[in-house]
């Protein structure tokens, strides 16, 4: 075979191969395009909106919405002429939540189903619609009505429920959040804010009474005008003490803004109050102020549950009743964290400092002991907040040493609060004069302990301290007068 013929044969073979390859590519390319189109078509079909607008009305064209269910149901009525709020007549006499009522009416005015499940359903029982969980009727301004039945939660999508209209067998699914109120009682429309917060509170007197302690805790406004105070209130019972501003705020001001989880008993009778522990409360909080007076009764606790549904030791809620506010005549279920008065103890909220009088505000610091009186006169530059001079009975002394002396005084360990009245006369009295602010501390020997002293602050038994502190304090007085080293802390 000559070379020319051989070349012709090779070219023919190559062309055949190329043609086959092009045919293969065209065929496979066509299949890929068809598959892609099918997938896109399927995706589009899956996103088709199947929703059905069951009621297409407006908020102002609805007159009433009435629901019946196992909890008794409710009726929401259109506002009367001149009134701005909707009304649940079953709650007349109680403060109502306009927000909750308005939300339900708005949902009904544009009631939308996710999709139609079955037309002419022969077996409504499988949807929970033969014996529905709730029924609600909407009355419109033209006096026409629509009635619907609420069935079970859908098994495949638990956030939906079945719904059908009266006199039809057409079943829909509706988002539960749009219709779940129809399964609840009238209590859901009660305003749960019990005591509103005023723009400004002129604090009066707040008293806590509890059967687990044999004293009352009482708090009043501090009359001293001192911006250095951590709290504007003080404790006067069972001891006289300044308050820790961060831990005492919920105690002194927690009533304002107090909000319940829900109302559990409307217009309670005495038997109801007995059932929920209101007649023998866990705690009673009494507030008396300018133009307002409240009594909060904290009744029986409700404990949180473990994974098996059994009570554990943690209190989740208390049942409560409030006097002094119109429109809240209910027994309320309130979270325990909103009710600190049920468990608070004095040491939880008081300060352990002897006085809040800043050294630069002191005019005189007087000590009376062993029939002797020592007066420390303090001069300070109020603008720079600097002590400029100190005199002991009109005799100049070292300013820095007096600062150390005052620091030791403030270090007195007052963590042991004490209620029992001391016996006998005081063996030492310290008086602090800071202009409008004054403190008096009286020290007594403790007859029950040889190495303890009892302290009265401003006439009220308050602390028990180590007697050793008073002895070292006397030593500091002597060291300061002699110009010797003064202890900085106990």
């Amino acid at each position: 075979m000559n070379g020319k013929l051989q070349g012709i044969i090779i070219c023919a073979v190559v062309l055949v191969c190329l043609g086959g390859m092009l045919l293969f590519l065209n065929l496979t390319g066509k299949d890929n395009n068809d598959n892609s189109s099918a997938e896109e078509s399927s995706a589009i079909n899956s996103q088709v909106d199947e929703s059905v607008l069951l009621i297409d009305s407006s908020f102002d064209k609805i007159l009433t919405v009435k629901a019946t269910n196992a909890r008794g149901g409710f009726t929401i009525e259109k506002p009367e002429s001149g009134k701005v709020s909707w009304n649940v007549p079953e709650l007349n006499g109680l403060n109502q939540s306009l927000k909750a009522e308005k939300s339900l009416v708005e949902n009904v005015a544009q009631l939308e189903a996710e999709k139609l499940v079955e037309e002419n359903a022969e077996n409504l029982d499988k949807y929970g619609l033969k014996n529905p969980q709730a029924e609600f009727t909407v009355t419109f301004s033209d006096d026409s009505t629509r009635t619907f039945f609420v069935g079970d939660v859908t098994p495949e999508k638990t956030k939906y429920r079945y719904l059908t209209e009266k006199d039809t067998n057409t079943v829909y699914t509706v988002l539960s959040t749009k219709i779940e109120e129809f399964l609840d009682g009238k209590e859901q429309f009660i305003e749960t804010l019990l005591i509103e917060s005023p723009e400004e509170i002129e604090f009066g007197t707040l008293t806590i009474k509890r059967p687990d302690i044999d004293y009352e805790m009482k708090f009043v406004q501090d009359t001293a005008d001192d911006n250095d105070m951590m709290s504007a209130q003080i404790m006067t019972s069972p001891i006289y003490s300044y308050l820790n501003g961060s831990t005492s705020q919920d105690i002194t001001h927690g009533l304002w803004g107090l909000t319940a989880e829900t109302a559990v008993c409307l217009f309670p009778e005495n038997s109801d109050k007995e059932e929920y522990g209101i007649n023998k409360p866990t705690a009673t909080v009494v507030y008396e102020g300018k133009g307002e007076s409240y009594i909060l009764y904290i009744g029986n606790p409700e404990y949180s549950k473990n994974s098996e549904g059994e009570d554990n030791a943690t209190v989740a809620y208390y049942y409560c009743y409030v006097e002094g506010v119109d429109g809240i005549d209910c027994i309320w279920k309130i979270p325990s964290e909103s009710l600190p008065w049920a468990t608070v103890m004095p040491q939880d909220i008081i300060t352990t400092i002897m006085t809040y009088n800043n050294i630069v505000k002191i005019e005189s610091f007087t000590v009376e002991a062993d029939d002797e009186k020592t007066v420390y006169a303090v001069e300070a530059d109020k603008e720079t907040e600097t002590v400029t001079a100190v005199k002991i009975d009109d005799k100049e002394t070292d300013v820095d040493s007096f600062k150390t002396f005052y620091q030791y005084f403030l270090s007195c360990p007052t963590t042991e609060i004490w209620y029992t009245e001391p016996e006998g006369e005081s063996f030492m009295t310290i008086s602090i004069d800071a202009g409008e602010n004054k403190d008096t501390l009286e020290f007594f020997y403790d007859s029950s302990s040889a190495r303890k002293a009892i302290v009265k602050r401003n006439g009220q038994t308050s602390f028990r301290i180590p007697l050793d502190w008073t002895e070292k304090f006397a030593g500091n007085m002597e060291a300061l007068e002699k110009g010797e080293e003064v202890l900085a802390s106990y």
Side-chain angles (χ1 to χ4, degrees):
M1 182 181 295
N2 60 36
K4 182 176 181 180
L5 179 61
Q6 187 176 7
I8 293 171
I9 294 171
I10 292 171
C11 288
V13 171
V14 170
L15 288 172
V16 170
C17 292
L18 287 173
M21 180 64 71
L22 288 172
L23 178 62
F24 173 77
L25 289 173
N26 284 333
L27 290 174
T28 55
K30 185 175 185 302
D31 288 343
N32 285 340
N33 288 335
D34 288 347
N35 289 340
S36 176
S37 298
E39 290 175 1
E40 290 175 3
S41 176
S42 176
I44 291 172
N45 289 334
S46 67
Q47 296 174 7
V48 171
D49 184 4
E50 298 182 78
S51 63
V52 181
L53 192 59
L54 303 178
I55 298 178
D56 185 10
S57 184
S58 60
F59 183 79
D60 58 348
K61 290 183 179 179
I62 294 178
L63 292 180
T64 63
V65 180
K66 181 177 178 63
T68 55
N69 54 50
R71 297 194 60 183
F74 55 85
T75 304
I76 299 180
E77 297 179 337
K78 187 178 180 65
E80 296 178 9
S81 178
K83 294 186 178 181
V84 296
S85 62
W86 289 76
N87 179 55
V88 176
E90 296 95 334
L91 299 179
N92 282 344
L94 297 176
N95 298 332
Q96 300 181 26
S97 171
L98 173 61
K99 181 179 179 181
E101 294 165 355
K102 185 177 179 181
S103 174
L104 182 140
V105 175
E106 288 177 339
N107 285 338
V108 166
Q110 291 287 300
L111 182 62
E112 183 177 76
E114 178 216 14
K115 65 179 179 180
L116 188 155
V117 177
E118 183 180 1
E119 285 188 288
N120 301 316
E122 295 183 1
N123 183 12
L124 290 176
D125 193 34
K126 70 178 182 179
Y127 302 112
L129 292 168
K130 184 177 181 180
N131 296 298
Q133 296 189 32
E135 172 186 336
F136 65 93
T137 299
V138 184
T139 303
F140 301 90
S141 56
D142 61 359
D143 291 331
S144 64
T145 62
R146 301 277 299 277
T147 299
F148 295 85
F149 301 108
V150 181
D152 292 342
V153 172
T154 62
E156 67 278 5
K157 293 182 179 179
T158 56
K159 65 178 182 179
Y160 292 92
R161 281 185 176 274
Y162 294 114
L163 185 81
T164 189
E165 188 169 2
K166 185 179 181 181
D167 298 328
T168 77
N169 282 1
T170 304
V171 179
Y172 305 90
T173 54
V174 179
L175 196 63
S176 293
T177 55
K178 299 295 184 181
I179 56 174
E180 60 187 3
E181 291 95 338
F182 296 115
L183 282 71
D184 210 343
K186 56 186 178 294
E187 293 82 3
Q188 64 183 305
F189 300 106
I190 298 176
E191 176 57 63
T192 55
L193 174 62
L194 306 184
I195 303 176
E196 292 186 0
S197 299
E199 292 184 3
E200 186 176 350
I201 297 172
E202 294 185 36
F203 196 87
T205 302
L206 185 138
T207 305
I208 303 172
K209 305 174 184 179
R210 293 216 309 262
D212 63 318
I213 50 179
D214 58 2
Y215 53 81
E216 295 180 353
M217 280 180 267
K218 186 170 291 187
F219 308 87
V220 301
Q221 184 75 12
D222 190 3
T223 57
D225 182 18
D226 191 339
N227 293 329
D228 292 333
M229 297 293 291
M230 290 184 68
S231 171
Q233 289 73 46
I234 56 174
M235 175 185 282
T236 59
S237 176
I239 67 171
Y240 185 101
S241 181
Y242 301 112
L243 301 178
N244 182 316
S246 59
T247 59
S248 66
Q249 185 71 13
D250 288 344
I251 301 299
T252 57
H253 290 73
L255 285 175
W256 293 279
L258 182 63
T259 302
E261 179 85 6
T262 185
V264 295
C265 182
L266 282 53
F267 309 110
E269 303 289 342
N270 287 334
S271 57
D272 299 316
K273 293 178 180 179
E274 183 176 355
E275 177 184 352
Y276 289 98
I278 306 302
N279 60 333
K280 293 182 179 179
T282 299
T284 303
V285 184
V286 181
Y287 176 80
E288 295 286 345
K290 187 176 181 180
E292 54 187 349
S293 175
Y294 311 122
I295 303 178
L296 167 65
Y297 299 95
I298 303 174
N300 293 337
E302 179 181 302
Y303 295 92
S304 58
K305 307 288 185 182
N306 60 23
S307 58
E308 298 178 356
E310 301 171 334
D311 287 349
N312 60 31
T314 303
V315 177
Y317 301 93
Y318 286 97
Y319 296 102
C320 302
Y321 186 78
V322 178
E323 292 180 358
V325 182
D326 294 333
I328 61 169
D329 187 13
C330 304
I331 293 175
W332 304 91
K333 182 177 176 180
I334 302 179
S336 58
E337 59 264 26
S338 298
L339 301 166
W341 310 280
T343 56
V344 67
M345 298 299 287
Q347 53 268 36
D348 299 334
I349 54 174
I350 64 173
T351 65
T352 57
I353 195 168
M354 276 287 195
T355 181
Y356 261 110
N357 287 306
N358 191 304
I359 190 170
V360 299
K361 295 184 178 181
I362 294 174
E363 296 177 4
S364 66
F365 184 95
T366 304
V367 181
E368 298 177 74
D370 299 327
D371 296 325
E372 292 186 6
K373 183 177 181 179
T374 304
V375 179
Y376 302 85
V378 183
E379 296 179 9
D381 185 332
K382 299 298 191 292
E383 291 185 1
T384 61
E385 295 190 347
T386 305
V387 176
T388 57
V390 179
K391 294 180 179 179
I392 304 176
D393 296 331
D394 296 327
K395 181 183 177 182
E396 293 280 350
T397 190
D398 182 67
V399 170
D400 288 336
S401 294
F402 180 76
K403 289 180 180 179
T404 304
F405 173 70
Y406 194 70
Q407 180 181 336
Y408 177 85
F409 165 70
L410 294 178
S411 74
C412 182
T414 58
T415 54
E416 184 182 7
I417 62 175
W418 196 254
Y419 319 126
T420 305
E421 190 74 9
E423 299 176 357
E425 300 292 327
S426 63
F427 65 86
M428 181 173 68
T429 300
I430 299 175
S431 302
I432 303 168
D433 185 348
E436 293 184 0
N437 303 334
K438 296 176 174 60
D439 274 318
T440 300
L441 298 143
E442 301 169 272
F443 298 78
F444 299 79
Y445 292 113
D446 181 7
S447 59
S448 65
S449 176
R451 299 305 302 167
K452 294 284 187 177
I454 297 172
V455 182
K456 279 189 174 184
R457 181 157 62 186
N458 297 333
Q460 184 77 33
T461 302
S462 301
F463 306 106
R464 190 167 76 158
I465 66 171
L467 187 61
D468 185 44
W469 181 90
T470 64
E471 295 169 350
K472 291 180 180 179
F473 177 79
N476 264 352
M477 288 181 64
E478 183 177 352
L480 180 62
E481 187 172 4
K482 292 180 177 180
E484 298 175 351
E485 183 180 2
V486 178
L487 291 175
S489 59
Y490 175 64

